Amino acid sequence: GEETLRHSGLCYAIVRIAGYNELPSGESSSVFLQQSDDDIVPVARADVADVCVSSLLDPNASNVCFYMTKKSGLKQYNIDDNLSEKFIGLEPEKF
């Protein structure tokens, strides 16, 4: 699946998660997008939906593959406020 998408010539964003938790979106943690699978934890379904929709609309989320996780104890924020900045930090895949 992923390799077919990568070699299709289409723009893509592959979002990987460790699973879903049952907490409300943004509950006492911040969303992180990272390209390694170190320390990934389950995330809220609403946060996954926000990241997926934002990745469709943000040119900085083109041709990237990343893990979505949360870090506890950090300041809460509106997920839409910072996603573009988080996409900028991702390295596009090259083939």
Side-chain angles (χ1 to χ4, degrees):
E2 287 183 12
E3 287 303 313
T4 301
L5 180 60
R6 285 182 175 108
H7 295 291
S8 70
L10 299 171
C11 292
Y12 62 88
I14 298 170
V15 181
R16 295 178 176 162
I17 61 170
Y20 299 107
N21 64 34
E22 299 303 322
L23 299 174
S25 176
E27 179 137 326
S28 70
S29 58
S30 292
V31 170
F32 278 79
L33 308 179
Q34 61 190 42
Q35 291 180 299
S36 73
D37 61 357
D38 296 337
D39 301 320
I40 57 172
V41 298
V43 292
R45 287 173 172 80
D47 289 340
V48 174
D50 285 339
V51 168
C52 289
V53 169
S54 294
S55 71
L56 291 171
L57 304 172
D58 194 317
N60 295 308
S62 182
N63 300 332
V64 294
C65 178
F66 57 88
Y67 293 88
M68 183 178 163
T69 190
K70 290 201 148 206
K71 304 292 182 183
S72 296
L74 298 175
K75 182 181 176 201
Q76 286 183 314
Y77 65 94
N78 180 343
I79 192 167
D80 294 328
D81 291 345
N82 293 318
L83 275 178
S84 189
E85 291 175 18
K86 293 177 186 300
F87 289 134
I88 289 171
L90 299 173
E91 186 71 29
E93 296 184 313
K94 296 181 172 89
F95 295 97

